[in-house]
Short mmCIF file of all heavy atoms in Angstrom, two decimals:
data_model
loop_
_atom_site.label_atom_id
_atom_site.label_comp_id
_atom_site.label_asym_id
_atom_site.label_seq_id
_atom_site.Cartn_x
_atom_site.Cartn_y
_atom_site.Cartn_z
N ARG A 1 -68.93 -66.44 47.24
CA ARG A 1 -69.38 -67.60 46.52
C ARG A 1 -68.23 -68.50 46.16
O ARG A 1 -67.10 -68.11 46.31
CB ARG A 1 -70.13 -67.21 45.20
CG ARG A 1 -69.19 -66.56 44.20
CD ARG A 1 -69.95 -66.04 42.91
NE ARG A 1 -69.13 -65.43 41.96
CZ ARG A 1 -68.66 -64.22 42.00
NH1 ARG A 1 -68.90 -63.44 42.92
NH2 ARG A 1 -67.86 -63.82 40.98
N PHE A 2 -68.51 -69.74 45.82
CA PHE A 2 -67.55 -70.59 45.23
C PHE A 2 -67.74 -70.77 43.74
O PHE A 2 -68.92 -70.71 43.34
CB PHE A 2 -67.71 -72.04 45.94
CG PHE A 2 -67.44 -72.02 47.34
CD1 PHE A 2 -68.55 -72.24 48.22
CD2 PHE A 2 -66.23 -71.76 47.91
CE1 PHE A 2 -68.43 -72.30 49.57
CE2 PHE A 2 -66.06 -71.80 49.31
CZ PHE A 2 -67.19 -72.03 50.10
N GLU A 3 -66.68 -70.90 42.99
CA GLU A 3 -66.83 -71.18 41.57
C GLU A 3 -66.13 -72.44 41.27
O GLU A 3 -65.20 -72.93 42.01
CB GLU A 3 -66.22 -70.01 40.75
CG GLU A 3 -66.98 -68.73 40.91
CD GLU A 3 -66.38 -67.58 40.14
OE1 GLU A 3 -65.20 -67.69 39.62
OE2 GLU A 3 -67.11 -66.58 40.00
N GLY A 4 -66.54 -73.11 40.17
CA GLY A 4 -65.94 -74.45 39.95
C GLY A 4 -66.13 -74.84 38.53
O GLY A 4 -66.64 -74.06 37.67
N ALA A 5 -65.61 -76.00 38.23
CA ALA A 5 -65.65 -76.58 36.92
C ALA A 5 -65.84 -78.13 37.10
O ALA A 5 -65.25 -78.72 38.00
CB ALA A 5 -64.38 -76.33 36.03
N ASP A 6 -66.69 -78.67 36.19
CA ASP A 6 -66.93 -80.08 36.24
C ASP A 6 -67.44 -80.57 37.61
O ASP A 6 -67.07 -81.67 38.00
CB ASP A 6 -65.71 -80.92 35.75
CG ASP A 6 -65.35 -80.54 34.38
OD1 ASP A 6 -66.15 -80.34 33.50
OD2 ASP A 6 -64.08 -80.43 34.10
N GLY A 7 -68.14 -79.77 38.32
CA GLY A 7 -68.73 -80.11 39.60
C GLY A 7 -67.73 -80.01 40.77
O GLY A 7 -68.16 -80.42 41.90
N ARG A 8 -66.56 -79.39 40.54
CA ARG A 8 -65.61 -79.34 41.64
C ARG A 8 -65.20 -77.91 41.84
O ARG A 8 -65.02 -77.14 40.86
CB ARG A 8 -64.37 -80.22 41.33
CG ARG A 8 -63.34 -80.17 42.48
CD ARG A 8 -62.28 -81.21 42.32
NE ARG A 8 -61.44 -81.05 43.45
CZ ARG A 8 -61.61 -81.61 44.60
NH1 ARG A 8 -62.53 -82.39 44.88
NH2 ARG A 8 -60.69 -81.39 45.61
N VAL A 9 -64.98 -77.44 43.05
CA VAL A 9 -64.49 -76.16 43.37
C VAL A 9 -63.15 -75.80 42.76
O VAL A 9 -62.26 -76.71 42.73
CB VAL A 9 -64.49 -75.85 44.89
CG1 VAL A 9 -63.41 -76.64 45.59
CG2 VAL A 9 -64.38 -74.45 45.24
N THR A 10 -63.02 -74.64 42.18
CA THR A 10 -61.75 -74.15 41.58
C THR A 10 -61.40 -72.82 42.19
O THR A 10 -60.16 -72.50 42.05
CB THR A 10 -61.86 -74.06 40.11
OG1 THR A 10 -63.02 -73.12 39.73
CG2 THR A 10 -62.08 -75.43 39.44
N SER A 11 -62.33 -72.08 42.76
CA SER A 11 -61.87 -70.78 43.28
C SER A 11 -62.96 -70.35 44.35
O SER A 11 -64.09 -70.74 44.33
CB SER A 11 -61.77 -69.75 42.26
OG SER A 11 -62.99 -69.52 41.54
N VAL A 12 -62.49 -69.44 45.24
CA VAL A 12 -63.30 -68.80 46.20
C VAL A 12 -63.30 -67.38 45.87
O VAL A 12 -62.25 -66.71 45.70
CB VAL A 12 -62.66 -68.99 47.68
CG1 VAL A 12 -63.40 -68.17 48.69
CG2 VAL A 12 -62.75 -70.46 48.01
N VAL A 13 -64.54 -66.77 45.82
CA VAL A 13 -64.63 -65.31 45.51
C VAL A 13 -65.19 -64.66 46.80
O VAL A 13 -66.20 -65.11 47.41
CB VAL A 13 -65.63 -65.09 44.35
CG1 VAL A 13 -65.75 -63.58 44.13
CG2 VAL A 13 -65.11 -65.82 43.15
N THR A 14 -64.54 -63.59 47.17
CA THR A 14 -64.92 -62.85 48.38
C THR A 14 -65.80 -61.64 48.08
O THR A 14 -65.82 -61.18 46.90
CB THR A 14 -63.72 -62.35 49.13
OG1 THR A 14 -62.96 -61.30 48.49
CG2 THR A 14 -62.69 -63.51 49.42
N LYS A 15 -66.43 -61.06 49.05
CA LYS A 15 -67.29 -59.82 48.80
C LYS A 15 -66.42 -58.69 48.34
O LYS A 15 -66.97 -57.80 47.62
CB LYS A 15 -67.96 -59.48 50.12
CG LYS A 15 -68.87 -60.53 50.63
CD LYS A 15 -70.26 -60.31 50.21
CE LYS A 15 -71.15 -61.43 50.69
NZ LYS A 15 -72.54 -61.13 50.83
N SER A 16 -65.21 -58.62 48.64
CA SER A 16 -64.31 -57.51 48.20
C SER A 16 -63.89 -57.74 46.76
O SER A 16 -63.24 -56.86 46.11
CB SER A 16 -63.09 -57.36 49.04
OG SER A 16 -62.20 -58.44 48.83
N GLY A 17 -64.19 -58.82 46.18
CA GLY A 17 -63.87 -59.13 44.71
C GLY A 17 -62.63 -59.93 44.47
O GLY A 17 -62.22 -60.19 43.37
N ARG A 18 -61.96 -60.44 45.64
CA ARG A 18 -60.88 -61.31 45.41
C ARG A 18 -61.31 -62.65 44.83
O ARG A 18 -62.35 -63.20 45.22
CB ARG A 18 -60.15 -61.65 46.78
CG ARG A 18 -59.30 -60.48 47.36
CD ARG A 18 -58.64 -60.94 48.62
NE ARG A 18 -57.82 -59.93 49.17
CZ ARG A 18 -58.25 -59.02 50.13
NH1 ARG A 18 -59.43 -59.27 50.77
NH2 ARG A 18 -57.50 -58.11 50.61
N SER A 19 -60.50 -63.21 43.89
CA SER A 19 -60.85 -64.55 43.42
C SER A 19 -59.47 -65.42 43.77
O SER A 19 -58.45 -65.14 43.18
CB SER A 19 -61.04 -64.46 41.93
OG SER A 19 -61.21 -65.78 41.50
N LEU A 20 -59.68 -66.34 44.69
CA LEU A 20 -58.54 -67.10 45.16
C LEU A 20 -58.64 -68.51 44.59
O LEU A 20 -59.65 -69.29 44.89
CB LEU A 20 -58.69 -67.12 46.74
CG LEU A 20 -58.74 -65.81 47.47
CD1 LEU A 20 -59.02 -65.98 48.90
CD2 LEU A 20 -57.46 -65.04 47.23
N PRO A 21 -57.63 -68.94 43.88
CA PRO A 21 -57.60 -70.33 43.49
C PRO A 21 -57.69 -71.33 44.54
O PRO A 21 -57.03 -71.11 45.54
CB PRO A 21 -56.27 -70.44 42.66
CG PRO A 21 -55.79 -69.03 42.52
CD PRO A 21 -56.43 -68.24 43.61
N ALA A 22 -58.52 -72.39 44.38
CA ALA A 22 -58.61 -73.37 45.38
C ALA A 22 -58.77 -74.78 44.76
O ALA A 22 -59.73 -75.02 43.96
CB ALA A 22 -59.84 -73.03 46.23
N ASP A 23 -57.85 -75.69 45.14
CA ASP A 23 -58.10 -77.11 44.78
C ASP A 23 -59.05 -77.79 45.78
O ASP A 23 -59.63 -78.77 45.50
CB ASP A 23 -56.77 -77.80 44.81
CG ASP A 23 -55.83 -77.25 43.72
OD1 ASP A 23 -56.27 -77.03 42.63
OD2 ASP A 23 -54.59 -76.93 44.10
N ALA A 24 -59.10 -77.09 47.03
CA ALA A 24 -59.99 -77.64 48.10
C ALA A 24 -60.23 -76.48 49.03
O ALA A 24 -59.55 -75.50 49.06
CB ALA A 24 -59.28 -78.74 48.89
N VAL A 25 -61.42 -76.62 49.75
CA VAL A 25 -61.81 -75.60 50.68
C VAL A 25 -62.12 -76.30 52.04
O VAL A 25 -62.71 -77.36 52.02
CB VAL A 25 -63.06 -74.83 50.20
CG1 VAL A 25 -63.63 -73.85 51.21
CG2 VAL A 25 -62.73 -74.08 48.89
N VAL A 26 -61.73 -75.67 53.12
CA VAL A 26 -62.19 -76.14 54.46
C VAL A 26 -62.90 -75.01 55.13
O VAL A 26 -62.39 -73.84 55.20
CB VAL A 26 -60.94 -76.59 55.29
CG1 VAL A 26 -61.40 -77.05 56.69
CG2 VAL A 26 -60.23 -77.73 54.64
N ILE A 27 -64.12 -75.30 55.56
CA ILE A 27 -64.94 -74.32 56.34
C ILE A 27 -64.56 -74.40 57.75
O ILE A 27 -64.77 -75.41 58.36
CB ILE A 27 -66.45 -74.57 56.11
CG1 ILE A 27 -66.82 -74.67 54.67
CG2 ILE A 27 -67.24 -73.42 56.78
CD1 ILE A 27 -66.46 -73.55 53.74
N GLY A 28 -63.98 -73.39 58.30
CA GLY A 28 -63.41 -73.40 59.68
C GLY A 28 -64.22 -72.64 60.69
O GLY A 28 -63.93 -72.82 61.88
N SER A 29 -65.22 -71.89 60.42
CA SER A 29 -65.99 -71.17 61.41
C SER A 29 -67.18 -70.53 60.75
O SER A 29 -67.41 -70.69 59.57
CB SER A 29 -65.10 -70.14 62.13
OG SER A 29 -64.83 -69.07 61.16
N ALA A 30 -67.98 -69.77 61.50
CA ALA A 30 -69.10 -68.99 60.93
C ALA A 30 -68.50 -68.11 59.82
O ALA A 30 -67.83 -67.05 60.14
CB ALA A 30 -69.75 -68.17 61.99
N PRO A 31 -68.75 -68.43 58.62
CA PRO A 31 -68.00 -67.81 57.46
C PRO A 31 -68.55 -66.63 56.86
O PRO A 31 -67.85 -65.87 56.08
CB PRO A 31 -67.86 -68.94 56.43
CG PRO A 31 -69.12 -69.68 56.69
CD PRO A 31 -69.52 -69.52 58.12
N CYS A 32 -69.79 -66.32 57.10
CA CYS A 32 -70.41 -65.13 56.43
C CYS A 32 -71.53 -64.57 57.26
O CYS A 32 -72.09 -65.28 58.12
CB CYS A 32 -70.76 -65.45 54.94
SG CYS A 32 -71.85 -66.97 54.87
N ARG A 33 -71.94 -63.41 56.96
CA ARG A 33 -73.02 -62.75 57.73
C ARG A 33 -74.38 -63.17 57.22
O ARG A 33 -75.36 -62.84 57.89
CB ARG A 33 -72.89 -61.27 57.63
CG ARG A 33 -71.64 -60.75 58.27
CD ARG A 33 -71.62 -59.21 58.33
NE ARG A 33 -70.46 -58.74 59.11
CZ ARG A 33 -69.29 -58.37 58.48
NH1 ARG A 33 -69.18 -58.41 57.20
NH2 ARG A 33 -68.38 -57.95 59.22
N THR A 34 -74.54 -63.81 56.14
CA THR A 34 -75.78 -64.12 55.47
C THR A 34 -76.47 -65.34 56.12
O THR A 34 -75.80 -66.07 56.79
CB THR A 34 -75.71 -64.40 54.02
OG1 THR A 34 -74.82 -65.43 53.86
CG2 THR A 34 -75.33 -63.17 53.28
#
């Protein structure tokens, strides 16, 4: 999932539980199995 504040992304959370700070995100390929 993505998490954010005030309508803007602030972090990327992975299935393994990593929370990665993000000022911006770029989707580069088929990103998930769902």
Side-chain angles (χ1 to χ4, degrees):
R1 67 186 183 276
F2 300 111
E3 293 181 344
D6 300 321
R8 185 168 177 86
V9 69
T10 56
S11 64
V12 172
V13 180
T14 71
K15 297 267 179 158
S16 70
R18 288 187 179 95
S19 181
L20 306 170
D23 300 312
V25 172
V26 179
I27 310 302
S29 68
C32 53
R33 294 187 178 97
T34 56

